[in-house]
């Protein structure tokens, strides 16, 4: 009962905002004015050298509220603490989506994948380690789990298998008559027995994503990368089956593109389409609309069973502290507070 109450209290869609620190190369660059008003509220304004506490520019600052705001001092571990309960609910038949949203360079990939070191590793490896730890508790209650992982990229409304880059046709198909479960045809699915095995898959996916990115300029910033982890639990004596899914998504950069060269027009449209449609789907879910436009883009189609219904969604909004990113930062904050 308590668990249920907590779940209801938390709701199904949440938005967190993370502001990254400046990197060493950026230390000389001016930052936006950023005030962390409380755990949930951030105030942003343009850099202003003359206004140290003068308050005269306050009118130009804007406040945004989220379920949680993380200042640059919060490390990967601190972010994951707020995700742990959410991701572990996939062991209890929930479908969970975590999105990393923001302009290129805002820290999306750092947040999801991180760097290969225990302190800096991102949400994907942390999630897997946490799942393996929590699974032990369920094993004591008689549950056995099979864990399957796949990694894919959606680029220009095409699905690419990041574990097997042979060009193949990938379609999204229903796995059950009601469409509660979807699968992608010809997609490599790996059974995972340890966090290390998942880590190896992640490395392969990263490498393949990098190769694809060199073949097509700027591709890595314009594609969505999705780690899908399926948890299939069977009870030894009760003949029960529990299926939960985790989708950890590093979204395409949210920036408006400057030179929309003619060759790139379809590409640009498609990318904006799937990002915009994700917002539309989430808004439709929040408003409890009857028609949810899942099928308007590959990303939302793929995630259909994990958005709405028996699911939990977290939007992790990444923000750069640099003043030169101010306009995109505002766009991101507005997009996400709309969702909120
Ligand atoms: P994106 O995927 O949104 O394009 P990245 O994740 O590649 O952005 O981040 C841009 C740069 O900032 C990288 O060099 C990354 O290592 C660094 N970075 C991002 N977030 C953090 C953070 N929270 N702490 C330290 N460095 C970070
Ligand atoms: Mg990235």
């Amino acid at each position: 009962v308590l668990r249920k109450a907590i779940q209801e209290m938390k709701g199904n869609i949440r938005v967190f905002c993370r502001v990254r620190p400046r990197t060493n190369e950026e230390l000389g660059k001016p930052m936006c004015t950023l005030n962390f008003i409380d755990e949930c509220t951030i105030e942003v304004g343009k850099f202003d050298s003359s206004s140290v506490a003068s308050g005269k520019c306050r009118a130009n600052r804007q406040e945004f509220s989220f379920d949680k705001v993380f200042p640059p001092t919060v490390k990967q571990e601190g972010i994951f603490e707020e995700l742990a309960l959410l991701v572990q609910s996939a062991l209890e038949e929930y479908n969970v989506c975590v999105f990393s949203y923001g302009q290129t360079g805002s820290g999306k990939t750092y947040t999801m994948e991180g760097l290969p070191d225990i302190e800096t590793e991102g949400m994907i490896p942390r999630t897997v380690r946490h799942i393996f730890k929590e699974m032990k508790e369920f094993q004591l209650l008689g549950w056995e789990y099979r864990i399957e992982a796949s990694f894919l990229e959606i680029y220009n409304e095409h699905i690419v298998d990041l574990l097997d880059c042979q060009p193949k046709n990938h379609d999204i198909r229903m796995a059950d008559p009601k469409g509660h479960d979807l699968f992608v045809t010809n997609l490599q699915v790996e059974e995972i027995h340890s966090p290390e095995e998942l880590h190896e898959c992640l490395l392969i996916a990263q490498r393949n994503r990098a190769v694809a990115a060199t073949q097509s300029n700027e591709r890595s910033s314009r594609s969505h990368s999705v780690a899908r982890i399926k948890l299939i639990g069977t009870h030894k004596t009760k003949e029960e089956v529990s299926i939960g899914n985790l989708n950890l998504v590093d979204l395409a950069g949210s920036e408006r593109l400057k030179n929309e060269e003619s060759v790139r027009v379809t590409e640009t449209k498609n990318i904006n389409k799937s990002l915009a449609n994700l917002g539309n789907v989430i808004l439709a879910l929040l408003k409890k609309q009857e028609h949810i436009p899942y099928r308007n883009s590959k990303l939302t189609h793929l995630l259909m069973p994990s958005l709405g219904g028996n699911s939990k969604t977290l939007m992790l909004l990444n923000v750069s502290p640099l003043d030169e990113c101010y306009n995109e930062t505002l766009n991101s904050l507005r997009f996400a507070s709309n969702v909120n």
Side-chain angles (χ1 to χ4, degrees), residues 40-285:
C40 303
T41 312
I42 182 175
E43 187 194 55
V44 294
K46 270 205 75 65
F47 169 74
D48 179 3
S49 58
S50 68
S51 78
V52 186
S54 74
K56 67 174 175 162
C57 284
R58 282 202 76 98
N60 295 328
R61 296 187 198 164
Q62 292 184 49
E63 234 182 75
F64 296 90
S65 290
F66 301 98
D67 293 293
K68 204 103 201 169
V69 173
F70 301 106
T73 46
V74 179
K75 303 272 187 276
Q76 302 282 52
E77 188 186 4
I79 310 277
F80 188 72
E81 272 171 23
E82 299 293 330
L83 254 75
L85 275 179
L86 177 84
V87 295
Q88 81 187 51
S89 60
L91 286 165
E92 296 170 86
E93 290 190 281
Y94 276 96
N95 288 327
V96 179
C97 279
V98 179
F99 294 101
S100 199
Y101 181 96
Q103 77 176 113
T104 300
S106 61
K108 295 183 298 296
T109 306
Y110 183 91
T111 296
M112 294 312 259
E113 296 175 6
L115 302 175
D117 161 16
I118 198 88
E119 298 254 297
T120 51
E121 66 175 7
M123 300 306 121
I124 296 173
R126 280 170 203 270
T127 293
V128 174
R129 262 199 290 120
H130 186 70
I131 292 285
F132 272 93
K133 205 177 90 205
E134 286 299 311
M135 235 165 52
K136 297 217 171 80
E137 307 279 319
F138 285 87
Q139 278 162 352
L140 295 176
L141 300 170
W143 289 94
E144 289 297 340
Y145 285 89
R146 180 186 160 88
I147 303 183
E148 294 177 352
S150 51
F151 289 80
L152 60 92
E153 182 179 65
I154 299 174
Y155 177 64
N156 200 11
E157 291 296 290
H158 289 289
I159 293 176
V160 177
D161 190 344
L162 289 177
L163 292 182
D164 174 18
C165 279
Q166 306 296 329
K168 280 183 190 149
N169 253 331
H170 300 290
D171 297 319
I172 301 171
R173 298 265 169 82
M174 279 194 258
D176 63 54
K178 287 185 175 163
H180 292 320
D181 200 7
L182 297 179
F183 71 99
V184 177
T185 58
N186 294 322
L187 190 71
Q188 187 146 332
V189 178
E190 288 289 333
E191 191 176 347
I192 302 290
H193 306 90
S194 67
E196 292 71 34
E197 277 184 25
L198 187 109
H199 196 72
E200 268 164 42
C201 291
L202 180 61
L203 291 179
I204 295 171
Q206 280 171 340
R207 211 176 312 131
N208 286 335
R209 202 182 184 200
V211 170
T214 51
Q215 285 162 4
S216 153
N217 197 24
E218 289 180 294
R219 172 167 172 162
S220 72
S221 65
R222 294 182 184 193
S223 64
H224 310 285
S225 150
V226 187
R228 282 164 79 79
I229 299 164
K230 188 168 186 164
L231 306 167
I232 308 152
T234 44
H235 198 276
K236 276 192 261 179
T237 51
K238 285 198 273 182
E239 284 188 35
E240 276 177 38
V241 181
S242 142
I243 299 179
N245 284 290
L246 278 163
N247 294 279
L248 307 169
V249 188
D250 186 350
L251 290 168
S254 60
E255 61 274 11
R256 312 239 160 113
L257 301 164
K258 289 171 209 110
N259 306 317
E260 299 191 2
E261 308 150 41
S262 56
V263 256
R264 286 265 163 75
V265 170
T266 24
E267 196 180 305
T268 311
K269 260 200 211 147
N270 280 337
I271 285 150
N272 291 344
K273 178 173 130 189
S274 52
L275 263 186
N277 196 51
L278 177 63
N280 292 340
V281 164
I282 293 176
L283 278 181
L285 286 168

Side-chain angles (χ1 to χ4, degrees), residues 22-31 47 322 324:
R22 277 186 295 189
T23 61
N24 286 341
E25 300 78 61
E26 293 167 347
L27 287 178
K29 293 185 171 181
M31 295 203 289
F47 169 74
L322 298 184
E324 64 196 46

